[in-house]
Amino acid sequence: MRILALKTLKDFWDDYPDSTEALKAWYALAKKADWKSPAEVKETYGNASVLQEGRVVFNIAGNKYRLIVWINYPYRVMYVRFVGTHKQYDKINAQEI
Protein backbone atom coordinates (compact mmCIF):
# COMPACT_ATOMS: atom_id res chain seq x y z
CA MET A 1 0.00 0.00 0.00
CA ARG A 2 1.12 3.51 -0.65
CA ILE A 3 0.57 5.63 2.45
CA LEU A 4 0.05 9.36 2.13
CA ALA A 5 0.57 11.85 4.95
CA LEU A 6 3.41 10.18 6.81
CA LYS A 7 4.17 13.66 8.14
CA THR A 8 0.93 13.49 10.12
CA LEU A 9 2.24 10.39 11.90
CA LYS A 10 5.67 11.94 12.48
CA ASP A 11 4.16 15.11 13.91
CA PHE A 12 2.05 13.02 16.26
CA TRP A 13 4.88 10.85 17.53
CA ASP A 14 6.96 13.98 18.11
CA ASP A 15 4.19 15.18 20.46
CA TYR A 16 3.49 11.70 21.93
CA PRO A 17 6.83 9.85 21.98
CA ASP A 18 5.30 6.73 23.50
CA SER A 19 3.39 6.24 20.23
CA THR A 20 6.50 6.23 18.05
CA GLU A 21 7.31 2.52 17.97
CA ALA A 22 3.68 1.46 17.57
CA LEU A 23 3.06 3.92 14.71
CA LYS A 24 6.30 2.90 12.99
CA ALA A 25 5.32 -0.76 13.31
CA TRP A 26 1.85 -0.05 11.90
CA TYR A 27 3.37 1.94 9.04
CA ALA A 28 5.86 -0.81 8.15
CA LEU A 29 3.17 -3.49 8.11
CA ALA A 30 0.63 -1.37 6.23
CA LYS A 31 3.21 -0.34 3.65
CA LYS A 32 3.95 -3.99 2.84
CA ALA A 33 0.26 -4.92 2.75
CA ASP A 34 -1.72 -5.40 -0.44
CA TRP A 35 -5.22 -5.06 0.94
CA LYS A 36 -7.91 -5.45 -1.68
CA SER A 37 -10.88 -5.25 0.68
CA PRO A 38 -11.90 -4.41 4.24
CA ALA A 39 -11.94 -8.14 4.99
CA GLU A 40 -8.23 -8.33 4.22
CA VAL A 41 -7.55 -5.45 6.60
CA LYS A 42 -9.45 -7.34 9.31
CA GLU A 43 -7.37 -10.47 8.62
CA THR A 44 -4.25 -8.47 9.45
CA TYR A 45 -5.71 -6.23 12.17
CA GLY A 46 -8.58 -8.06 13.82
CA ASN A 47 -9.29 -5.17 16.17
CA ALA A 48 -9.52 -2.57 13.37
CA SER A 49 -12.93 -0.99 12.97
CA VAL A 50 -14.09 -0.87 9.37
CA LEU A 51 -16.35 2.11 8.72
CA GLN A 52 -18.25 3.10 5.60
CA GLU A 53 -16.70 4.27 2.34
CA GLY A 54 -13.19 2.94 2.88
CA ARG A 55 -12.50 4.36 6.32
CA VAL A 56 -10.74 2.21 8.91
CA VAL A 57 -9.93 2.96 12.55
CA PHE A 58 -6.84 1.30 14.01
CA ASN A 59 -6.04 1.01 17.70
CA ILE A 60 -2.44 2.06 18.29
CA ALA A 61 -0.13 1.36 21.24
CA GLY A 62 -2.44 -1.06 23.02
CA ASN A 63 -5.54 1.01 22.23
CA LYS A 64 -4.02 4.14 23.75
CA TYR A 65 -4.32 6.05 20.46
CA ARG A 66 -6.55 5.96 17.40
CA LEU A 67 -5.56 6.17 13.76
CA ILE A 68 -8.10 6.78 11.00
CA VAL A 69 -7.25 6.12 7.38
CA TRP A 70 -9.19 6.20 4.14
CA ILE A 71 -8.25 3.37 1.82
CA ASN A 72 -8.67 3.46 -1.93
CA TYR A 73 -8.56 -0.30 -2.43
CA PRO A 74 -8.43 -0.39 -6.26
CA TYR A 75 -5.36 1.89 -6.30
CA ARG A 76 -3.79 0.46 -3.10
CA VAL A 77 -3.49 3.94 -1.60
CA MET A 78 -4.07 4.81 2.03
CA TYR A 79 -4.59 8.36 3.29
CA VAL A 80 -3.94 9.15 6.95
CA ARG A 81 -6.93 11.24 8.02
CA PHE A 82 -6.44 11.43 11.81
CA VAL A 83 -4.21 10.23 14.60
CA GLY A 84 -4.90 11.14 18.19
CA THR A 85 -5.75 10.23 21.73
CA HIS A 86 -9.11 8.77 22.67
CA LYS A 87 -10.16 12.16 24.03
CA GLN A 88 -9.32 13.80 20.69
CA TYR A 89 -11.03 10.96 18.81
CA ASP A 90 -14.22 11.43 20.83
CA LYS A 91 -14.46 15.01 19.55
CA ILE A 92 -14.45 14.14 15.85
CA ASN A 93 -16.71 12.32 13.43
CA ALA A 94 -14.56 9.46 12.18
CA GLN A 95 -16.69 9.09 9.07
CA GLU A 96 -16.25 12.71 8.02
CA ILE A 97 -12.68 13.63 8.96
Side-chain angles (χ1 to χ4, degrees), residues 29-41:
L29 196 146
K31 187 174 179 181
K32 291 179 184 177
D34 186 27
W35 296 321
K36 297 173 189 74
S37 70
E40 290 184 2
V41 175

Side-chain angles (χ1 to χ4, degrees), residues 13 19-31 45 60:
W13 74 54
S19 71
T20 304
E21 291 306 313
L23 284 170
K24 285 182 177 180
W26 174 88
Y27 182 84
L29 196 146
K31 187 174 179 181
Y45 285 100
I60 302 295

Side-chain angles (χ1 to χ4, degrees), residues 59-79:
N59 296 317
I60 302 295
N63 203 20
K64 189 171 183 180
Y65 304 107
R66 293 280 174 94
L67 171 65
I68 302 172
V69 300
W70 176 75
I71 302 174
N72 183 325
Y73 294 99
Y75 290 96
R76 306 298 190 275
V77 177
M78 188 179 315
Y79 301 87

Side-chain angles (χ1 to χ4, degrees), residues 6-63:
L6 175 60
K7 183 178 182 325
T8 303
L9 299 180
K10 288 179 179 179
D11 289 346
F12 186 79
W13 74 54
D14 285 345
D15 292 338
Y16 297 88
D18 63 328
S19 71
T20 304
E21 291 306 313
L23 284 170
K24 285 182 177 180
W26 174 88
Y27 182 84
L29 196 146
K31 187 174 179 181
K32 291 179 184 177
D34 186 27
W35 296 321
K36 297 173 189 74
S37 70
E40 290 184 2
V41 175
K42 290 290 281 182
E43 285 176 18
T44 306
Y45 285 100
N47 65 351
S49 298
V50 175
L51 306 179
Q52 299 173 355
E53 300 174 11
R55 300 217 185 236
V56 180
V57 180
F58 294 94
N59 296 317
I60 302 295
N63 203 20

